[in-house]
């Protein structure tokens, strides 16, 4: 007969923690972030954007050069240790100009997106929430604005407002908010029929409170995705306007007028086109990658 | 259907009227003077005569009514830049090059874009998909005013394969048309890919497969035909894309078209020319949008616009 040793009769471990929550619960944004982090392309886009923004902020600060200083003895220099990106036809340091241009272009993109966001979300929200005649009227108005080609309107507005950062932002914002408004309205039409809105209303919440506290937070996902497409569009509009001579005026640098200058001198000074093109394309590419990733991460329809 | 068409027609007219009005008043607000620095050199009496000749001495609302009346009759005024030519005649001279360029680039874009989109969807999450999606991303990220000079430089100047600019023979058309079509290719590829993927998950594709249809047959008769429908809706926006693209592409390749003319007029403060061209562009686009919407409801039997709304 086998002898059973006493050691085998140990009391079992106490399992009082069986009901404790092992992982912290994930809210919508934490979940989206987890999803986004798995998307390598989107993370690459995000990292590139962060790096480019850091350069745009700090490179002009830590450079001994100014974007408008001309060194007439050192025109059209090739990239070197002194001038990382070379110099342009007035001997201005391209390194500082490119990053200064990036700064301005990003600024235009972000501010335009912010304006777009405020106007579009409020307009869409009001239109969807009140419905009926208000909605019908507001939608007719949108339909008309929507069918006006925005670049043409932007050109006309710039001609009136004069060129400059503010007018470009305004010109974009006046014509650009329509897509956002349509998007928000579409989402809100679905949301406002849901029970939590009914609950809020029966508790006596005012329309403003319902729109701001209940409806808008729920459309933020779609809105964030849209923003990542608005920023590059605004940057594109700036460069487009600068390219046809209506945007930012030299000596101030923007990616648009650097591209425009570069394209004119490309035949003999390819470096003046190369660097702005690289930064510009990277920005647009990264925003698009990030936007695609965000859409996958935030869109409930993509959930499996 | 008829009520819908009529309603759309009414909106189209309202839109055009708003565009005319906005353009007219924006032009009135413009800084700068159409007579340039002549204003400082001419005696006031001559200035008055000049102003009277162009009707600039009347009150603004009178000028506006007169302008609307003229526009309704298809008269866009006389160019300040070329005093002997009317805006309409300038548009007529410049239009053929632009139309040709636009149509060629649309054809390239539609063929390449649809094929890339279909390939991407059929090879979903495989090498073919990634290649096509990458091409589309690059097309979106690098605008035509960057691609244009690069093409002109490498293909035209370095390799000497095709002429880098001007508009003389058939070989001059290739580079501008390609440069102009890239962003449209990108839009179409993404749209077609998404649409194909959507269709591929539908039940009728499963039915078609289970009744033993060949893959080629399914792809051709069931997938592509259904997937192409939503793509028709973006033909309007695509036209906008191509049209605004001509502004820079024509400039880069020195094509004597409307876009080039527009930019020249912007530089020389040629009010009537700018207003005329904007109106013309806007008119073309609004009409195209109108036909796209109408065509869409004819193509897709599932869509009966204007009912139940």
């Amino acid at each position: 007969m086998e002898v059973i040793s006493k050691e085998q009769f140990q009391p079992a471990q106490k399992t009082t923690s069986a009901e404790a929550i092992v992982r912290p619960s994930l809210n919508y944004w934490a979940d989206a972030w987890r999803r986004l982090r798995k998307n390598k392309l989107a993370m690459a886009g995000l990292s590139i954007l962060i790096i480019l923004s850091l350069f745009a902020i700090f490179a002009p600060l830590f450079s001994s050069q100014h974007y408008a200083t001309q060194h007439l003895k050192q025109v059209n220099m090739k990239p070197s240790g002194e001038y990382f990106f070379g110099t342009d036809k007035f001997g201005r340091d391209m390194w500082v100009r490119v990053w200064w241009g990036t700064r301005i272009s990003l600024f235009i993109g972000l501010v335009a997106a912010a304006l777009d966001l405020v106007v579009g979300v409020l307009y869409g929200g009001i239109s969807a929430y009140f419905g009926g005649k208000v909605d019908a009227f507001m939608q007719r108005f949108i339909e008309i604005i929507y069918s006006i080609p925005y670049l043409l309107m932007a050109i006309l507005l710039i001609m009136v407002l004069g060129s400059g950062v503010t007018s470009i932002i305004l010109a974009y914002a006046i014509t650009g908010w329509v897509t956002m408004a349509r998007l928000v309205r579409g989402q809100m039409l679905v949301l406002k029929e849901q029970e939590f809105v009914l609950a809020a209303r029966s508790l006596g919440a005012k329309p403003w409170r319902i729109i701001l506290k209940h409806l808008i937070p729920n459309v933020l996902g779609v809105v964030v995705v849209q923003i990542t497409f608005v920023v590059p569009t605004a940057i594109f509009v700036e460069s487009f306007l600068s390219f046809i001579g209506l945007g930012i005026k030299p000596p101030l640098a923007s990616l648009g007028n650097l591209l425009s200058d570069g394209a004119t001198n490309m035949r003999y000074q390819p470096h003046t086109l190369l660097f702005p093109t690289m930064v510009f394309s990277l920005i647009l590419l990264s925003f698009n990658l990030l936007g695609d990733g965000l859409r996958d991460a935030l869109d409930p329809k993509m959930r499996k | 259907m008829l009520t819908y068409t009529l309603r759309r027609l009414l909106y189209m007219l309202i839109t055009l009227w708003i565009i005319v009005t906005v353009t007219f008043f924006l032009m009135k607000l413009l800084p700068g003077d159409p007579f340039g620095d002549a204003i400082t050199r001419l005696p006031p009496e001559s200035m008055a005569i000049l102003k009277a000749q162009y009707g600039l001495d009347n009150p603004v609302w009178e000028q506006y009514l007169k302008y609307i009346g003229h526009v309704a009759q298809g008269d866009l005024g006389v160019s300040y830049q070329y005093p002997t030519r009317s805006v309409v005649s300038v548009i007529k001279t410049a239009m053929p090059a632009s139309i040709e360029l636009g149509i060629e680039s649309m054809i390239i874009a539609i063929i390449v874009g649809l094929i890339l989109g279909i390939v991407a969807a059929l090879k979903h999450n495989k090498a073919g998909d990634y290649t096509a999606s990458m091409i589309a991303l690059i097309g979106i990220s690098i605008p035509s005013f960057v691609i244009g000079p690069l093409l002109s430089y490498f293909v035209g100047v370095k390799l000497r394969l095709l002429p880098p600019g001007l508009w003389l023979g058939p070989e001059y058309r290739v580079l501008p048309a390609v440069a102009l079509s890239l962003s449209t290719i990108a839009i179409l590829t993404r749209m077609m890919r998404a649409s194909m993927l959507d269709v591929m998950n539908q039940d009728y594709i499963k039915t078609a497969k289970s009744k033993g249809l060949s893959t080629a047959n399914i792809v051709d008769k069931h997938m592509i035909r259904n997937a192409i429908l939503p793509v028709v809706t973006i033909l309007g926006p695509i036209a906008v894309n191509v049209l605004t693209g001509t502004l820079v592409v024509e400039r880069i390749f020195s094509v004597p078209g409307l876009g080039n003319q527009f930019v020249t007029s912007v530089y020389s403060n040629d009010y009537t020319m700018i207003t005329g061209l904007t109106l013309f562009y806007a008119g073309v686009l609004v009409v195209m949008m109108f036909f796209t919407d109408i065509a869409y409801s004819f193509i897709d039997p599932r869509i009966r616009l204007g009912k139940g709304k």
Side-chain angles (χ1 to χ4, degrees):
Chain A
M1 203 179 141
E2 209 177 330
V3 182
I4 301 167
S5 70
K6 266 208 165 167
E7 281 104 73
Q8 276 173 302
F9 290 94
Q10 294 291 326
Q13 283 223 310
K14 281 185 183 170
T15 54
T16 44
S17 62
E19 301 208 345
I21 296 162
V22 185
R23 284 175 217 92
S25 71
L26 286 177
N27 67 16
Y28 180 63
W29 296 103
D31 189 36
W33 171 239
R34 189 179 59 84
R35 234 172 260 274
L36 186 68
R37 245 184 349 207
K38 282 192 196 148
N39 187 333
K40 284 189 193 116
L41 280 177
M43 288 316 282
L46 185 63
S47 327
I48 294 174
L49 281 179
I50 293 174
I51 294 171
L52 288 179
S53 318
L54 289 177
F55 267 112
I57 296 167
F58 293 110
L61 286 181
F62 289 117
S63 173
S64 52
Q65 303 291 332
H66 185 253
Y67 67 85
T69 315
Q70 305 185 355
H71 302 278
L72 292 173
K73 283 181 184 163
Q74 292 165 309
V75 296
N76 293 327
M77 301 276 280
K78 296 280 173 257
S80 65
E82 194 185 354
Y83 302 109
F84 299 129
F85 288 177
T87 60
D88 67 1
K89 61 177 183 240
F90 296 115
R92 292 177 296 206
D93 183 20
M94 285 298 286
W95 168 259
V96 175
R97 284 184 74 72
V98 166
W99 294 119
W100 193 269
T102 313
R103 192 192 271 197
I104 289 192
S105 290
L106 281 176
F107 177 76
I108 289 177
L110 292 174
V111 177
L115 281 177
D116 201 67
L117 175 80
V118 175
V119 179
V121 169
L122 283 183
Y123 193 96
I126 293 170
S127 178
Y129 184 82
F130 291 105
K133 284 213 175 95
V134 180
D135 185 38
F137 178 76
M138 289 174 92
Q139 285 314 301
R140 293 301 84 78
F141 183 65
I142 278 204
E143 260 172 46
I144 288 166
I145 301 264
Y146 192 68
S147 52
I148 300 174
Y150 73 91
L151 268 176
L152 293 180
M153 269 301 138
I155 290 175
L156 291 175
L157 281 169
I158 288 282
M159 293 184 64
V160 174
L161 299 168
S163 53
V165 177
T166 330
S167 12
I168 290 182
I169 292 174
L170 274 181
Y172 179 78
I174 288 176
T175 45
W177 56 273
V178 180
T179 319
M180 181 72 91
R182 287 186 140 191
L183 203 73
V184 171
R185 172 179 171 268
Q187 288 284 313
M188 284 202 178
L189 280 181
V190 180
L191 283 171
K192 75 164 190 179
E193 300 301 329
Q194 292 188 1
E195 284 79 4
F196 68 92
V197 179
L198 186 66
R201 203 182 299 145
S202 44
L203 286 170
K206 298 261 182 327
W208 275 113
R209 195 184 154 79
I210 296 181
I211 292 181
L212 288 175
K213 291 265 171 184
H214 296 278
L215 293 177
I216 289 181
N218 278 296
V219 292
L220 272 186
V222 191
V223 168
V224 167
V225 175
Q226 176 63 16
I227 291 260
T228 51
F229 295 107
V230 168
V231 178
T233 314
I235 293 178
F236 172 81
V237 170
E238 181 276 315
S239 350
F240 178 88
L241 291 172
S242 297
F243 195 87
I244 60 173
L246 283 169
I248 309 289
K249 287 267 186 284
L252 195 60
S254 80
L255 287 177
N257 66 29
L258 290 175
L259 286 172
S260 168
D261 281 354
T264 356
N265 305 321
M266 164 188 69
R267 224 164 143 169
Y268 307 106
Q269 311 299 338
H271 68 274
T272 54
L273 180 64
L274 182 69
F275 295 110
T277 307
M278 269 171 31
V279 174
F280 183 80
S281 308
L282 271 178
I283 292 179
L284 261 59
L285 190 70
S286 313
F287 266 112
N288 279 310
L289 286 174
L290 182 64
D292 282 352
L294 274 175
R295 182 162 49 197
D296 292 349
L298 290 171
D299 190 350
K301 275 190 278 179
M302 303 295 286
R303 299 275 166 90
K304 279 166 197 153
Chain B
M1 191 60 219
L2 187 68
T3 35
Y4 173 74
T5 314
L6 286 177
R7 210 182 63 186
R8 282 301 321 250
L9 201 64
L10 182 70
Y11 285 150
M12 192 173 84
L13 291 177
I14 296 178
T15 311
L16 284 175
W17 170 71
I18 289 184
I19 295 174
V20 176
T21 311
V22 170
T23 327
F24 176 84
F25 284 103
L26 281 180
M27 285 304 114
K28 285 289 146 200
L29 291 172
L30 266 184
D33 191 277
F35 304 114
D37 55 352
I39 199 159
T40 50
R41 284 188 271 119
L42 282 175
E45 300 84 44
S46 316
M47 238 9 253
I49 294 171
L50 259 180
K51 287 207 163 172
Q53 192 189 336
Y54 287 101
L56 291 173
D57 52 347
N58 296 328
V60 173
W61 63 269
E62 218 169 87
Q63 293 180 33
Y64 169 68
L65 287 181
K66 209 173 149 202
Y67 186 72
I68 292 247
H70 282 272
V71 170
Q73 294 167 25
D75 175 10
L76 296 171
V78 178
S79 162
Y80 290 126
Q81 200 182 165
Y82 318 103
T84 54
R85 299 180 66 188
S86 73
V87 172
V88 176
S89 84
V90 175
I91 291 180
K92 272 186 189 153
T93 345
M95 202 163 61
S98 289
I99 290 185
E100 200 185 320
L101 181 61
I103 290 179
E104 279 161 3
S105 86
M106 286 275 263
I107 292 173
I108 298 178
I110 289 173
I111 294 175
V112 179
L114 291 189
I115 290 179
L116 279 178
I118 293 168
V119 168
L122 292 179
K123 306 271 175 210
H124 187 41
N125 283 341
K126 285 187 206 139
D129 185 12
Y130 294 130
T131 321
S133 302
M134 213 54 218
I135 294 176
L137 255 180
I138 291 171
I140 286 182
S141 310
I142 309 182
S144 52
F145 49 81
V146 176
I147 295 276
L150 288 177
L151 274 178
S152 164
Y153 180 64
F154 284 108
V155 184
V157 179
K158 280 263 154 137
L159 301 173
R160 296 185 179 279
L161 287 176
L162 291 160
L166 293 180
W167 193 253
L168 302 170
E171 73 273 22
Y172 288 84
R173 278 130 174 86
V174 182
L175 286 185
V178 170
L180 188 54
S181 65
L182 278 172
S183 64
T184 318
I185 289 179
I187 301 173
L188 277 171
T189 305
R190 302 187 108 189
M191 185 86 189
M192 191 63 191
R193 176 176 177 271
S195 175
M196 280 286 283
L197 287 177
D198 198 38
V199 168
M200 281 161 81
N201 288 327
Q202 299 287 329
D203 288 339
Y204 56 80
I205 299 295
K206 268 185 211 146
T207 315
K209 266 185 204 156
S210 51
K211 73 179 182 188
L213 282 186
S214 68
T215 317
N217 215 332
I218 296 177
V219 171
D220 174 31
K221 295 240 169 80
H222 293 269
M223 287 185 191
I224 296 181
R225 282 187 193 194
N226 282 302
I228 223 161
L229 287 174
V231 178
V232 175
T233 49
I234 57 161
L235 281 180
I238 282 184
V240 179
N241 198 28
V242 168
L243 220 147
T244 42
T246 54
L247 289 185
V248 283
V249 170
E250 285 182 6
R251 191 98 193 140
I252 292 164
F253 291 97
S254 317
V255 178
L258 288 176
N260 211 339
Q261 185 60 56
F262 190 98
V263 181
T264 319
S265 312
V266 167
Y267 285 134
S268 52
N269 269 349
D270 188 347
Y271 295 178
T272 43
M273 199 67 218
I274 300 166
T275 0
L277 275 173
T278 312
L279 275 182
F280 179 76
Y281 273 146
V284 170
L285 291 175
V286 170
V287 171
M288 279 196 77
M289 297 272 219
F290 172 72
F291 282 115
T292 315
D293 282 3
I294 301 295
Y296 190 51
S297 62
F298 273 113
I299 297 170
D300 192 346
R302 286 171 300 185
I303 291 184
R304 283 283 168 260
L305 293 160
K307 267 190 200 166
K309 240 185 165 182

